[in-house]
């Protein structure tokens, strides 16, 4: 039986990788992927916690949460990729450094 | 509880859903070159029906529905009325700004309705799952709306910035929920407080709360999470900016209030300083940023950051007065902001013809009505007496001083002074006589929807400024639905707080 802490640490690492990639990467598709990584890291936490609480008080709403997060992530992907296509058509680039018409 | 009652608790949401679906169904079967403005009227009537339904919800007894996921109480109904009203005015403004041949007009109005469903669910949800879904429904709709002028260079850019940073914030919000769930074993807001009392993992809950606050601070564009705001507002169509700078923010503030006061009252000493700092930075950075803007929409974006700061001042007060002041301020801010964007979107049009402050030179001479309305809303944003902005600021700072937060109140008052400069720049531009050589500012005739929208916003701002009693009373009743606030203040706890307390203890 793997202790819950292992799952949580893995989830935290994955989330941090997502945050790091979001801040460092310059391609919009890659940035979008890092957001998906963050969401799935959270899913891992939810499942781990749900398993933990299921043993204590048979309360595992965390698992239900995961399904909804997946649905929302899919909806976000649909909209996000559509926006990315609109951006590419208008600007012919997917590099965030060149998407800078508006600045402080 | 009988079945019809259950449906009534989400009646405004149902009305908005039906409106949106109806528009999406009618839009494709209309002939290609048909005038699609009637679809906008459909959205207006849907919003009106939802507003009436929200007001009707005041007559419902407090309680939960759908396995305790949705709760109608004075707090959620207060925000239901506010958000339905904002959607009503925004639909009117959008109807005025668009042309019959504007692209995807049906979808524009359908997305406004669908977004409203999400915002309403956020305010009435007492289960973090529902709050999360509501947040996503409203966010995804507004991402699309921000990029609606997709053939232009700026609009997709604003949409992509909004989308990436908004999803980033959502992930933080979600991680916060996961950690809270891990520490307390529940995702129901009302049960988290009891879970916290017995938890062995308090540090996890504290981190979870911090992540939730970060996620929501992004959504309300409070500093230091505000950087997306000016870019998004600049590129998005003006009628939509009026909507997305008010309604989703009001909903996010409602969620923040509910989570802070109902789920995490024990951690007050942790979140209070955090919100104190966010409020102070938001006010200062928002106002200083607005000072150096030449673009009116960017300037108003920074001003909305500052207003989020004022609102957060009231959050930190930890009393029914503070929450009431925050709710009242949300109303005042929403009304005047929707109003000024109604003027901007009519003068500039859907295509954003006017961008810089100089472009508005002579607006009041071209159209005294628009100029007068703009002046009125700007004075309200400054906080001149007899406007909603004055009483909003007054209650916020009075409650802060009353609670002994002198320094925060001083920072806020200094900031209100700074704000006068940039608001007056627009005001003087509008009332400057244009030079004979300058191109004629071409303002289209005000249409009926615009007149209606301006009438509604101006009259509500005036009512807030002259006779705020009723709305303040509504805000106070809303504040007292939180058990912690109604028990802290025994003399004020005559009746309104009691039903929700009883409801809480009766829950399965």
């Amino acid at each position: 039986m793997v202790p819950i802490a292992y799952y949580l640490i893995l989830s935290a690492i994955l989330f941090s990788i997502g945050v790091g990639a979001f801040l460092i990467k310059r391609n919009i598709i890659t940035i979008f992927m890092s957001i998906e990584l963050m969401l799935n890291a959270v899913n891992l936490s939810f499942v781990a916690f749900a398993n933990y609480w299921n043993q204590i008080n048979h309360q595992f709403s965390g698992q239900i949460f995961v399904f909804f997060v997946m649905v929302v992530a899919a909806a976000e992907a649909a909209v996000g990729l559509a926006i990315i296509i609109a951006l590419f058509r208008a600007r012919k680039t997917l590099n965030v450094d060149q998407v800078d018409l508006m600045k402080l | 509880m009988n079945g019809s009652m259950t449906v009534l608790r989400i009646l405004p949401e149902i009305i908005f859903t039906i409106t949106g679906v109806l528009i999406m169904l009618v839009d494709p079967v209309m002939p290609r070159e048909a005038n699609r403005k009637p679809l906008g009227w459909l959205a207006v009537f849907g919003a009106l029906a939802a507003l009436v339904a929200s007001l009707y919800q005041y007559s419902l007894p407090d309680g939960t529905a759908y396995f305790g996921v949705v709760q109608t109480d004075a707090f959620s109904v207060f925000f239901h009325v506010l958000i339905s009203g904002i959607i009503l005015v925004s639909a009117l403004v959008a109807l005025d700004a668009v042309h019959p041949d504007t692209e995807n007009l049906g979808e524009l109005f359908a997305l406004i309705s669908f977004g409203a469903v999400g915002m309403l669910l956020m305010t009435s949800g007492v289960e973090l799952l529902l709050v999360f879904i509501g947040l996503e429904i409203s966010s995804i709709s507004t991402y699309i709306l921000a990029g609606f002028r997709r053939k232009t260079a700026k609009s997709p850019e604003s949409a992509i910035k909004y989308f990436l940073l908004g999803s980033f914030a959502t992930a933080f919000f979600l991680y916060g929920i996961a950690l809270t769930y891990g520490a307390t074993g529940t995702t129901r807001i009302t049960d988290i407080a009891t879970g916290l009392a017995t938890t062995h993992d308090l540090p996890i809950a504290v981190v979870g709360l911090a992540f939730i606050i970060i996620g929501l601070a992004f959504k309300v564009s409070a500093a230091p999470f505000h950087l997306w705001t000016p870019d998004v507002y600049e590129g998005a169509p003006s009628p939509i900016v009026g909507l997305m700078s008010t309604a989703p923010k009001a909903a996010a503030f409602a969620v923040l209030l509910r989570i802070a006061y109902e789920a995490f009252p024990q951690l007050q000493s942790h979140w209070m300083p955090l919100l104190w700092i966010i409020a102070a930075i938001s006010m200062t950075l928002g106002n200083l940023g607005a000072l150096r803007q030449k673009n009116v929409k960017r300037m108003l974006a920074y001003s909305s950051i500052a207003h989020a700061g004022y609102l957060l001042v009231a959050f930190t007060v930890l009393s029914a007065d503070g929450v009431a002041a925050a709710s009242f301020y949300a109303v005042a801010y929403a009304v005047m902001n929707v109003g000024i964007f109604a003027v901007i979107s009519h003068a500039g049009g859907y295509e954003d013809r006017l961008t810089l402050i100089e472009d508005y030179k002579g607006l009041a001479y071209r159209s005294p009505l628009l100029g007068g309305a703009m002046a009125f809303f700007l004075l309200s944003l400054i906080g001149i007496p007899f406007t909603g902005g004055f009483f909003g600021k007054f209650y916020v700072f009075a409650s802060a001083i009353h609670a002994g937060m002198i320094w925060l109140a001083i920072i806020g008052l200094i900031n209100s002074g700074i704000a006068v400069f940039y608001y007056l720049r627009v005001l003087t531009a509008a009332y400057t006589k244009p030079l004979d050589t300058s191109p004629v500012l071409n303002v289209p005739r005000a249409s009926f929807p615009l007149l209606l929208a301006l009438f509604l916003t101006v009259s509500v701002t005036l009512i807030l400024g002259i006779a705020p009693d009723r709305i303040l009373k509504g805000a106070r009743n809303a504040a007292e639905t939180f058990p912690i606030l109604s028990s802290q203040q025994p003399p004020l706890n005559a009746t309104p707080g009691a039903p929700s307390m009883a409801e809480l203890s009766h829950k399965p």
Side-chain angles (χ1 to χ4, degrees):
Chain A
M1 175 87 188
V2 184
I4 183 178
Y6 288 26
Y7 291 107
L8 297 182
I9 290 167
L10 176 63
S11 155
I13 291 172
L14 285 175
F15 193 84
S16 315
I17 293 174
V19 174
F22 182 91
L23 299 173
I24 293 168
K25 288 294 178 182
R26 308 270 49 119
N27 184 299
I28 290 176
I29 302 273
T30 323
I31 293 174
F32 182 53
M33 278 167 60
S34 57
I35 291 173
E36 295 289 307
L37 183 63
M38 289 163 73
L39 290 178
N40 285 312
V42 176
N43 275 351
L44 184 60
S45 281
F46 267 123
V47 175
F49 281 131
N51 188 41
Y52 170 74
W53 282 105
N54 192 18
Q55 285 161 15
I56 294 177
N57 58 4
H58 302 289
Q59 229 272 1
F60 50 96
S61 56
Q63 294 193 1
I64 314 295
F65 227 108
V66 171
F67 288 112
F68 282 96
V69 174
M70 284 180 191
V71 171
V72 163
E76 257 189 5
V79 169
L81 290 174
I83 294 175
I84 291 174
I85 290 173
L87 178 77
F88 186 75
R89 283 204 178 135
R91 307 284 282 278
K92 304 288 175 230
T93 178
L94 281 182
N95 187 328
V96 277
D97 293 330
Q98 287 164 18
V99 186
D100 59 351
L101 269 185
M102 299 177 280
K103 272 195 174 163
L104 299 175
Chain B
M1 187 189 297
N2 58 36
S4 64
M5 188 85 130
T6 317
V7 174
L8 290 179
R9 299 214 185 276
I10 57 163
L11 192 56
E13 285 92 336
I14 292 177
I15 291 173
F16 270 124
T17 312
I18 292 174
T19 313
V21 171
L22 212 58
I23 294 172
M24 291 296 269
L25 283 177
V26 175
D27 185 30
V29 297
M30 285 172 87
R32 185 174 286 274
E33 55 289 321
N35 181 358
R36 281 182 161 67
K37 282 206 167 185
L39 295 176
W41 282 109
L42 199 57
V44 169
F45 286 120
L48 190 63
L51 182 62
V52 173
S54 306
L55 286 169
Y56 164 73
Q57 281 187 320
Y58 266 119
S59 65
L60 290 179
D62 288 5
T64 59
Y66 297 104
F67 310 101
V69 165
V70 181
Q71 181 169 325
T72 27
D73 49 31
F75 183 76
S76 68
V77 177
F78 183 84
F79 278 94
H80 272 185
V81 174
L82 169 62
I83 291 169
S84 306
I86 295 171
I87 302 291
L88 172 64
V89 175
S90 301
L92 285 169
V93 173
L95 199 53
D96 166 72
V98 296
H99 311 295
D101 56 346
T102 304
E103 264 190 311
N104 310 336
L105 201 50
E107 282 154 46
L108 179 89
F109 290 109
L111 282 168
I112 291 177
S113 305
F114 287 139
V117 177
M119 297 161 206
L120 294 180
L121 285 177
M122 281 165 80
T123 58
S124 60
V126 287
E127 161 75 43
L128 286 173
L129 179 58
L130 183 70
V131 171
F132 168 69
I133 294 169
L135 181 70
E136 280 305 289
I137 297 175
S138 93
S139 300
I140 291 178
S141 309
T142 36
Y143 299 153
I144 307 173
L145 288 171
F148 226 77
R149 293 181 305 144
R150 65 193 166 95
K151 300 270 166 66
T152 60
K154 275 185 182 172
S155 198
E157 178 178 335
S158 108
I160 197 80
K161 283 179 176 166
Y162 195 20
F163 168 71
L164 289 177
L165 290 168
S167 314
F168 189 62
T170 303
F172 271 95
F173 182 65
L174 201 59
Y175 202 26
I177 294 176
L179 293 175
T180 310
Y181 169 64
T184 60
T186 177
T187 48
R188 184 161 296 167
I189 291 177
T190 39
D191 292 348
I192 287 175
T194 40
L196 273 181
T198 56
T199 182
H200 308 293
D201 306 303
L202 201 59
I204 294 186
V206 174
V207 176
L209 174 62
F211 277 16
I212 288 177
I213 290 179
I214 290 174
L216 289 173
F218 256 107
K219 298 286 176 191
V220 301
S221 72
F225 313 107
H226 63 285
L227 289 169
W228 56 273
T229 321
D231 289 4
V232 173
Y233 288 9
E234 185 184 345
S238 309
I240 300 305
V241 180
L243 167 70
M244 70 188 190
S245 64
T246 51
K249 282 193 189 182
F253 273 121
V255 170
L256 193 54
L257 275 174
R258 214 186 255 287
I259 290 181
Y261 282 94
E262 204 155 5
F264 291 99
Q266 286 109 318
L267 298 182
Q268 267 179 9
S269 55
H270 287 88
W271 55 256
M272 204 276 272
L274 197 62
L275 289 179
W276 197 104
I277 293 168
I278 293 179
I281 303 178
S282 297
M283 289 189 289
T284 316
L285 287 184
N287 281 318
L288 292 182
L291 274 180
R292 55 195 196 98
Q293 296 305 323
K294 294 193 178 69
N295 183 312
V296 174
K297 272 159 85 183
R298 287 186 82 84
M299 190 207 86
L300 285 171
Y302 276 102
S303 114
S304 84
I305 297 165
H307 283 282
Y310 299 135
L311 224 159
L312 284 169
V313 169
F315 269 61
T316 55
V317 172
L318 307 179
S319 69
D321 276 333
V323 178
S327 308
F328 185 88
Y329 200 87
V331 178
Y333 163 74
V335 174
M336 59 204 183
N337 224 44
V338 168
I340 195 154
F341 273 105
V343 175
I344 288 174
S345 77
H346 181 75
Y350 188 69
E351 302 79 17
D352 239 353
R353 289 184 300 270
L354 311 179
T355 48
L356 302 179
I357 292 176
E358 295 98 80
D359 294 345
Y360 285 83
K361 255 186 192 159
L363 178 69
Y365 291 88
R366 276 274 141 204
S367 165
L369 171 80
L370 281 183
M374 192 176 203
F376 179 69
F377 292 126
L378 284 168
L379 292 176
S380 180
L381 285 163
I382 292 172
I384 302 289
F386 302 116
T387 61
F390 169 74
F391 271 116
K393 281 206 177 71
F394 174 77
Y395 290 132
V396 165
F397 293 128
S399 67
I401 290 169
H402 193 68
M405 308 235 272
I406 309 295
W407 277 108
L408 198 56
I410 290 174
I411 296 173
L413 289 171
I414 292 173
N415 270 300
S416 322
I418 298 174
V420 175
F421 288 104
Y422 58 83
Y423 290 130
L424 280 186
R425 275 217 325 259
V426 183
L427 191 56
T428 44
Y431 278 86
T432 309
K433 200 149 199 153
L435 297 172
D436 295 335
T437 52
S438 61
V440 179
L441 183 61
N442 189 12
V443 181
R445 263 180 67 86
S447 62
F448 173 67
L450 180 85
L451 291 177
L452 198 57
L454 285 180
F455 170 75
L456 286 173
T457 44
V458 168
S459 52
V460 174
T461 312
L462 265 180
I463 290 170
L464 286 171
I466 294 168
D469 309 345
R470 276 195 63 177
I471 293 164
L472 190 67
K473 195 161 162 283
R476 172 161 281 279
N477 287 341
E480 281 173 1
T481 54
F482 298 130
I484 173 164
L485 295 180
S486 45
S487 58
Q488 261 185 359
Q489 309 230 333
L492 302 166
N493 186 23
T495 47
S500 72
M501 287 276 278
E503 195 67 39
L504 282 174
S505 51
H506 282 238
K507 240 179 35 215

